[in-house]
Amino acid sequence: MTVQMKVESPTGINPMIRHRSGHIGSSLPRREDRSPLLGRRRYVADLKLPGMLEVAFVRSPEAHALIRSIDTGPALALPGVHAVYTAADLAEVGSFPHTIQYIRPVDQRPLAEDRVRYVGSPYAAVVAADRYTAEDAAALVSASTEFETLPAVAVLDQALAEDAPRLYDSWPDNRLVDFPAEKPEVTKAFEEADHTFTETYVSQRQTGLPLECRGVVAEDVDGQLTVWSSTQSPHIVRTTIAMMLGIPEPQVRVILPAMGGGFGAKTHQYPEDIVLAWIARKLGRPVRWIEDRFENLVSTVHARDQRHDVEVAYDDDGTIRAVRCAAYCDVGSGEIFMPGTATVFVTAGCITGGYDFPNMEVRPVCVVTNKTPSGAYRGFGTPEGMFVMERIIDRVARLTGADRVELRRRMILQEDQMPYIMHSGGKVDSGSHAKGFERAAALIEQSLARAKARYADDPDVRVGVGYNNYVEPTTPTYHLTTGHWAGYDSATIRVDPDGAVRVALGNTDLGQGAETTAAQLAAEALGVDPDDVTVVMGDTDRAPYGLGAWGSRGAVVMTGSVLMAADRVLVKAREIAAHMLEASSDDVVLADGGFHVAGSGTPKVSWAKVATAAWARTVDLPEGMEPGLEMSGYFEPPDLEHLPGADGKVNAAATWSNGAHAGVVSVRISTGEIRIEDYAVVHDCGTMINPMLIDGQVHGAVAQGIAGAMYEHFQYDPETAQPRFASFMEYLYPTCSEVPEMTVEHFETPAPEQPLGVKGCGEGGTIGPPAVITGAVSDALADLGVDITATPVTPAAVRRAIREAAARGAAS
Amino acid sequence: MTSDQGSREIDLTVTINGMEVRRRVPARLLLSDFIRDEVGLTGTHVGCEHGYCGACTVIADGDAIRSCSTLAVQVDGSDIRTVEDLASDGELTPMQQAFHENHAMQCGFCTAGFLMTLESVDPDDYREPEQVVELLSGNLCRCTGYQNIVKAVCSVWGVEGRRRDSQ
Ligand code: FES
Ligand code: FES
C-alpha cells in the first residue's frame, strides 16, 4: 500500500496508525447487501407497532389560494377515522426556524394556515385505523375545503415582472434573495475585449426521486418520543422537532432505519416529521405516514430550475476575457427548511469548474413561484453551472474558429497552480485536471472515429463529441445553507471486553455503503479485521451528534472522526498493554491484532485482554487509570470556512474532487433521436477507501446526470401552475435502456490537508452529463447551425433547434 | 366516495412461499399491502404504487406480476413467491451472490423487484446483452445506473457483457 498520508495521527499524539493491513483501497464487498438480498432489510414503511394508526395528509389542489374554511365533519363521521387536524390544532407548534438573515422570511408552518402557495402543500392531517380509510377521509376533507383562488405565478419571467402577483404580501417583489455582484476587473475586461455575445441558458426543474419515498413513524411512551424517519440527518431532525414542539431534546430520539436512497431530497426538515411527532404525543398512540409517489412528486423538494442570462467578452484568438452572469433560480414557494437558496450560490461559486478563469461575475437571484419548494438534489448547483461554462467555451470556439479541445487545454487548471483560489474563494487544493482531461479525450477518441465510420453512409445521422472538466466541492459547510449547523462530524469507538470494536457515527447510510467504509477505516486504524467491527449510525440515542450524509462528505468526515477516535483509543490501550508487558508504552507497538514490545519476541497482548482489563478486570489496569475503553472524535475538516470574508469570498468546501467527462453521441436529424455511443469518466477523489463503491457512486450519479441532460423535466402549466405530472408515466425516469455502459477510470491525487488524503465522491457524476450531452449534440449538428442552450435535450428539442437554426440561417 | 367502498370483504386463500394463507380481506386491498401488512413479508417493496417501477414484483403461478397494481382477491388460489423465498437457509442463490459480488445494489430498495423479475424468466431466452438490458428495463433503480446489475446478470447467465462502443 503506497497511499500517501499527510495526517497519520489526527490528534498528533500517536504515530501508530499506518496503512499496514491494506483495508484502505480494497474493494471489500458490502456488509449491507445481505439483508436486502434476503428481503430482510428494514425501511421505515416496514415498521409496524402495536396499536399503530395511519396518517394521510390533505394537500392543496390549488397552486395559490386562501383557505376560506375547512369542514372536517364528513371525514370525522367516517368509521375508522380517529382525528382530523388543521393548522389551528397545531397553534402551539412553532414555525420552521428563520436562520439566514439575508433571505426574506417565509414563516413556514407545519400545516398551511390560511394560504397555500403550491399544489401539494399540506394543510390538514387525517388519522385513521388503516391507510385506505385515512385516504378516503383525506379526500372528504379536500372536498369540504373552500378555497379562494389567487392568481398563480408559474414562470420565472412572470414572477419577476413589476406587476406580478406576489406570494408574500409583506415583500416588495418575488425575490427571496438577490445578491448583486460587481467586479471592476470584469468591467475592464469587457471594455478591452474584441467581441461580446449574450445568451440565455436554462436548466430545467427536476426532483431527486429516491425509489423509496419519504416516511415517518412516531411513538410517544411516557413522554419519550421516538421518531423513525427516512432522513439523511437524524440529529438535525431531532433538534428541529425538539425546538418546534418545545420539548427537551433528550426526550426525542430519531432513528433512520435503512434508507432507500436520498440524493439530497431527504436532507430537508419536512413538515410531516413535525406533525407526526405532534400527533403521536397528542393521541398517545403510534402513528405512521408513508408518502406515496404522487405526494413525493409534489411535496418532496424539487431542484435545478435555473436560468442564466450571460454576457461573454472574448478575443479573436478564442481567449475568454470575462463572463457576467445573472443566475436566476426558481425556488418554488420557498416554504422549506433548510431553504432552497443555497444551490444557486454553489452554482455561482463553482461555475468555472476545472478552469483557470478568475474574471467571472455572477449575481445569484432566487425567485419564488407557485411551485413545489426546491432544495437539494445530488450535484447541488454544480451541473447547472458547468453546463453554462462548457456551452460558453464551445460557443467561443465556434465564433472564433478555435479548436474546442485546444481552447480547453489553454484554460484548464495545471498541477503547479495548486492550491488554486477560484473567483469565489473556493480553494482547489489539488487535482488532476489537465491529465484527467487528456485521458478522457483519449478514451473516447476511437469510439468517435468508429461512430463516424458506422454512420458514414447514413446522411440522416450526425456524430458529435462533448467535454466537461469539473470540480466537485465536497464536505461543504452547512452554515451557509442552514444558517445554523456548520461542518464537523463524529465517531465514538468502543472496544468491548471481547476485543470486538463498535463504531458509532454521526454520519448516515443512504445506500452508499457507509457501514462497510467505516468498518474498513476502523479496521485499518486499530489493526483488526473489518469483520470484527460493528458499525452503528442513524440513531440519535446510539450514535453521537453529527450532521449526517449530504454534500459528499461521508468519506472525509468518517475518515477524520474515526481516525481521531481510534487514535485516542490506541493511546489508552497501549498504556494498558505496556503495563501488562511491564514495558514503557513508547516501546509498545500494535501488530497482527495485538500489542507487543517493539523488536522483542515478547508474547502479544490481545485487544480482548486490554479491553477486558478496561471494562471488567480493572484490577489489571495501571494504578490510577480510569476504567473504560471508549473514545470519541469530533472532526472539523481543516480548511473549511463557514462565513465569507470581507471580500465576499469563502472556501465553502473542505475538499475539491475533480473529474473529466467525455461523450460521443449520434443524432438522427429527421427524428431528433439521440444515442449515446460512448461515455467516459476520469475521476479523482483523492485516496480511495473502497474503489468498487466509488465506481458505484460514479455510475449512479452519471445516470442521474444523463436523466437531467436528456429526459427528466418537471413541468407545470404556465398559466395555472398545476403540475403536469402525477406519476412515473409522465416523468421520464431512465431505465436500463437509457443509461449507456460507461468507462470509469481514476486518478488518486490526495487532498494535502485531509486525513489520508480522502476527498468526497458522491455527486461528481451528476455534474458532467448536461454539459457533455449538449456539447456533443451541438457538435454533431454544428453544420446545421445548432447550438443547444437548454436541458433536457429531448428529440423534440433537437428538432426545434434544427428548425430555429434553419430559420436564423434563412434570415441572415 | 363512501365508506361502503372499503367495507366489502372477501375470503381469500393463497399459497405464499409454500405456506397456505387464509384471510378475509377488503375487496380493494392491494396485493402489495396484503403481502407486506397482512402477511408481514416486507421484502417486497413499494416504489410507485402505479405499476411502473417494478419494486413490488412478485411471482404468481410462475409469472412476474406487479403486486401494487393487483388486488389481493385477484390471486385467490394462486401460488405466490416473494424475495424471501429465494435463498434457502440463508444460502444466497447464484444471482443473489452475483449482485453482492458485482455491487449491483446500493440502497437495496429495488433489489427484490429485480431478483423476482430475473427469477421468473428462462435464462435461455436471454443470450444477448441487449436482451438482458431490455428485460431489466422493466425495473427502475435510482442508485446504481444499472451497469453493475447488467454485469451481475450477464455473469450468472453466461452472457457476454455489454460492449461500450455498441450502445
Ligand atoms: S410499486 Fe409496483 S410497480 Fe412500482
Ligand atoms: S439500489 Fe437503490 S434503487 Fe436500486
Side-chain angles (χ1 to χ4, degrees):
Chain A
M1 208 57 220
T2 54
V3 177
Q4 187 179 330
M5 187 166 72
K6 159 119 183 186
V7 184
E8 291 183 340
S9 170
T11 57
I13 306 167
N14 193 312
M16 289 169 74
I17 300 172
R18 298 229 193 284
H19 287 299
R20 271 181 311 227
S21 30
H23 298 304
I24 306 295
S26 124
S27 287
L28 187 70
R30 304 193 322 167
R31 53 179 57 202
E32 296 92 333
D33 288 353
R34 208 175 148 75
S35 60
L37 285 169
L38 296 171
R40 293 180 192 163
R41 200 165 176 81
R42 288 275 161 82
Y43 303 86
V44 173
D46 302 337
L47 297 174
K48 209 171 172 180
L49 302 175
M52 187 172 79
L53 301 172
E54 300 276 349
V55 176
F57 283 88
V58 190
R59 297 182 184 277
S60 171
E62 299 266 347
H64 198 187
L66 299 175
I67 301 176
R68 282 290 173 223
S69 67
I70 305 171
D71 181 2
T72 58
L76 284 167
L78 201 65
V81 172
H82 287 248
V84 179
Y85 299 115
T86 64
D89 299 298
L90 273 78
E92 72 206 46
V93 180
S95 295
F96 281 92
H98 176 67
T99 50
I100 303 180
Q101 294 323 310
Y102 58 79
I103 295 176
R104 290 191 175 134
V106 296
D107 190 30
Q108 186 201 352
R109 308 278 304 148
L111 293 174
E113 212 161 5
D114 46 14
R115 184 162 172 174
V116 286
R117 294 183 177 86
Y118 63 97
V119 172
S121 175
Y123 69 89
V126 174
V127 190
D130 64 85
R131 181 167 171 185
Y132 291 70
T133 307
E135 288 187 10
D136 287 348
L140 290 174
V141 175
S142 184
S144 313
T145 307
E146 239 184 275
F147 292 103
E148 180 184 326
T149 304
L150 299 172
V153 185
V155 180
L156 188 75
D157 274 333
Q158 283 172 11
L160 287 168
E162 286 279 331
D163 57 350
R166 285 202 307 272
L167 269 75
Y168 297 91
D169 293 340
S170 60
W171 301 9
D173 52 35
N174 286 318
R175 289 164 198 246
L176 184 59
V177 169
D178 189 340
F179 242 69
E182 218 192 301
K183 288 186 175 173
E185 60 274 26
V186 169
T187 310
K188 186 158 173 280
F190 267 89
E191 284 161 9
E192 291 170 0
D194 295 341
H195 309 279
T196 61
F197 74 85
T198 60
E199 186 56 272
T200 294
Y201 296 100
V202 176
S203 291
Q204 83 282 20
R205 179 167 277 248
Q206 279 183 263
T207 174
L209 286 185
L211 196 56
E212 179 206 31
C213 293
R214 291 184 293 126
V216 189
V217 174
E219 180 183 41
D220 184 279
V221 177
D222 295 338
Q224 182 66 41
L225 180 67
T226 306
V227 177
W228 292 262
S229 177
S230 189
T231 172
Q232 296 175 226
S233 301
H235 280 96
I236 294 181
V237 170
R238 174 175 177 251
T239 297
T240 309
I241 289 173
M243 185 162 57
M244 289 179 66
L245 263 47
I247 50 180
E249 203 153 332
Q251 288 177 20
V252 185
R253 176 183 187 185
V254 176
I255 299 173
L256 162 67
M259 182 186 278
F263 313 121
K266 295 176 182 173
T267 52
H268 294 267
Q269 309 300 297
Y270 284 98
E272 292 87 354
D273 293 86
I274 308 299
V275 175
L276 269 278
W278 179 84
I279 295 175
R281 284 171 76 84
K282 176 97 182 159
L283 285 182
R285 291 193 53 179
V287 283
R288 173 168 81 169
W289 164 74
I290 303 301
E291 186 184 56
D292 71 21
R293 188 56 70 180
F294 172 67
E295 290 183 286
N296 177 262
L297 284 165
V298 296
S299 63
T300 290
V301 292
H302 291 178
R304 316 275 194 249
D305 212 353
Q306 293 191 11
R307 189 186 87 196
H308 293 230
D309 293 346
V310 165
E311 287 176 76
V312 179
Y314 65 101
D315 288 344
D316 284 322
D317 66 352
T319 303
I320 304 175
R321 299 287 295 266
V323 173
R324 221 181 248 140
C325 172
Y328 295 96
C329 184
D330 177 343
V331 295
S333 85
E335 295 161 299
I336 188 73
F337 183 72
M338 63 211 196
T341 42
T343 44
V344 72
F345 284 86
V346 173
T347 308
C350 303
I351 188 167
T352 55
Y355 300 108
D356 174 9
F357 193 78
N359 283 349
M360 175 62 78
E361 179 187 294
V362 191
R363 169 187 180 183
V365 185
C366 292
V367 180
V368 291
T369 59
N370 292 113
K371 300 195 275 197
T372 294
S374 74
Y377 174 36
R378 197 176 199 174
F380 205 85
T382 45
E384 299 96 306
M386 256 352 319
F387 160 64
V388 170
M389 188 71 196
E390 299 289 7
R391 296 314 309 124
I392 290 173
I393 295 174
D394 281 349
R395 172 72 65 90
V396 170
R398 193 177 284 194
L399 289 168
T400 60
D403 181 81
R404 293 161 72 212
V405 171
E406 274 308 316
L407 199 46
R408 287 179 167 82
R409 278 193 188 121
R410 268 155 61 181
M411 298 171 66
I412 200 155
L413 293 174
Q414 303 294 331
E415 269 173 64
D416 62 7
Q417 288 179 290
M418 299 298 130
Y420 173 80
I421 309 298
M422 300 171 77
H423 70 287
S424 52
K427 180 183 165 192
V428 181
D429 54 15
S430 59
S432 51
H433 311 83
K435 69 181 178 190
F437 177 46
E438 297 300 333
R439 181 65 190 150
L443 275 171
I444 48 115
E445 209 177 303
Q446 287 199 1
S447 31
L448 177 62
R450 274 200 293 272
K452 282 190 169 155
R454 189 176 312 131
Y455 299 109
D457 296 335
D458 190 342
D460 195 30
V461 176
R462 302 290 162 83
V463 171
V465 58
Y467 306 99
N468 171 232
N469 292 293
Y470 68 80
V471 290
E472 178 190 2
T474 77
T475 324
T477 176
Y478 225 12
H479 203 60
L480 295 167
T481 307
T482 64
H484 194 66
W485 292 272
Y488 80 99
D489 224 299
S490 57
T492 299
I493 295 183
R494 189 175 81 205
V495 185
D496 276 332
D498 62 356
V501 176
R502 176 192 190 269
V503 183
L505 295 156
N507 189 41
T508 51
D509 185 60
L510 326 175
Q512 73 276 50
E515 256 185 82
T516 299
T517 306
Q520 286 177 263
L521 285 164
E524 189 77 48
L526 296 173
V528 300
D529 194 88
D531 286 344
D532 292 331
V533 180
T534 298
V535 178
V536 174
M537 54 179 107
D539 181 341
T540 60
D541 266 16
R542 298 175 70 213
Y545 202 106
L547 308 186
W550 40 268
S552 302
R553 68 198 294 270
V556 176
V557 294
M558 286 198 301
T559 303
S561 58
V562 167
L563 293 195
M564 278 173 85
D567 196 32
R568 290 168 178 160
V569 164
L570 273 173
V571 171
K572 184 164 183 182
R574 188 163 66 154
E575 269 182 57
I576 299 171
H579 177 69
M580 291 170 170
L581 291 162
E582 296 177 8
S584 153
S585 64
D586 289 343
D587 297 332
V588 171
V589 293
L590 175 64
D592 303 325
F595 298 86
H596 67 105
V597 177
S600 80
T602 51
K604 275 204 299 277
V605 174
S606 67
W607 272 108
K609 192 154 184 209
V610 168
T612 296
W615 295 111
R617 292 184 56 89
T618 46
V619 290
D620 293 342
L621 290 179
E623 190 157 330
M625 181 184 269
E626 189 182 336
L629 194 51
E630 176 175 273
M631 299 284 176
S632 293
Y634 294 85
F635 174 71
E636 175 71 29
D639 255 6
L640 179 58
E641 296 169 357
H642 301 293
L643 289 169
D647 57 1
K649 295 185 176 181
V650 59
N651 181 34
T655 67
W656 294 80
S657 297
N658 67 276
H661 287 201
V664 177
V665 304
S666 60
V667 186
R668 193 163 282 282
I669 295 169
S670 57
T671 61
E673 183 197 351
I674 302 164
R675 203 174 138 89
I676 301 176
E677 300 286 335
D678 197 10
Y679 202 95
V681 176
V682 179
H683 181 259
D684 189 339
C685 60
T687 305
M688 295 196 285
I689 300 169
N690 186 322
M692 179 178 74
L693 301 192
I694 291 166
D695 280 350
Q697 288 298 301
V698 174
H699 292 163
V702 169
Q704 292 185 14
I706 288 172
M710 296 173 64
Y711 300 103
E712 298 179 4
H713 183 182
F714 201 101
Q715 297 178 40
Y716 282 83
D717 184 288
E719 302 294 322
T720 62
Q722 284 288 329
R724 288 198 167 143
F725 299 148
S727 78
F728 282 156
M729 308 288 179
E730 304 94 5
Y731 189 84
L732 303 177
Y733 188 123
T735 74
C736 191
S737 296
E738 283 77 48
V739 182
E741 189 80 2
M742 63 194 92
T743 303
V744 181
E745 291 189 0
H746 301 275
F747 285 109
E748 281 191 87
T749 313
E753 307 298 333
Q754 306 298 331
L756 302 188
V758 169
K759 304 174 188 174
C761 73
E763 296 170 272
T766 58
I767 303 173
V772 169
I773 303 292
T774 54
V777 171
S778 303
D779 180 41
L781 304 177
D783 60 351
L784 302 178
V786 169
D787 189 12
I788 302 291
T789 55
T791 53
V793 49
T794 60
V798 170
R799 288 295 310 149
R800 199 179 323 118
I802 292 172
R803 276 197 308 275
E804 284 171 4
R808 270 201 310 275
S812 63
Chain B
M1 170 145 336
T2 73
S3 60
D4 300 353
Q5 248 188 336
S7 62
R8 210 174 132 227
E9 301 211 328
I10 294 178
D11 287 318
L12 171 68
T13 306
V14 291
T15 305
I16 299 191
N17 300 340
M19 294 256 294
E20 193 181 89
V21 179
R22 283 168 190 276
R23 289 277 203 296
R24 190 166 174 78
V25 299
R28 64 176 177 171
L29 185 70
L30 297 175
L31 179 58
S32 49
D33 288 337
F34 176 73
I35 292 171
R36 292 173 44 79
D37 273 350
E38 300 282 323
V39 187
L41 293 169
T42 55
T44 300
H45 297 144
V46 173
C48 70
E49 258 183 331
H50 53 258
Y52 196 86
C53 75
C56 65
T57 305
V58 300
I59 297 178
D61 298 326
D63 293 329
I65 62 163
R66 312 240 145 163
S67 61
C68 75
S69 25
T70 306
L71 295 174
V73 295
Q74 284 177 276
V75 298
D76 189 22
S78 296
D79 185 50
I80 306 285
R81 291 184 67 205
T82 68
V83 66
E84 286 90 345
D85 197 42
L86 294 176
S88 55
D89 293 333
E91 173 107 5
L92 300 182
T93 64
M95 191 60 82
Q96 288 173 319
Q97 188 63 31
F99 267 57
H100 175 57
E101 284 165 9
N102 289 288
H103 187 34
M105 52 199 294
Q106 291 181 28
C107 76
F109 202 76
C110 66
T111 308
F114 276 97
L115 291 173
M116 297 318 285
T117 298
L118 291 163
E119 179 76 4
S120 72
V121 300
D122 180 353
D124 289 341
D125 295 339
Y126 300 88
R127 304 317 307 154
E128 295 298 325
E130 292 72 24
Q131 294 173 311
V132 173
V133 166
E134 200 183 319
L135 171 69
L136 296 175
S137 296
N139 288 70
L140 297 183
C141 173
R142 192 61 158 177
C143 300
T144 63
Y146 305 101
Q147 186 150 332
N148 288 344
I149 300 180
V150 177
K151 200 166 136 200
V153 176
C154 289
S155 75
V156 178
W157 287 357
V159 177
E160 192 193 332
R162 256 205 302 192
R163 284 178 306 274
R164 261 172 59 204
D165 199 14
S166 67
Q167 294 307 299

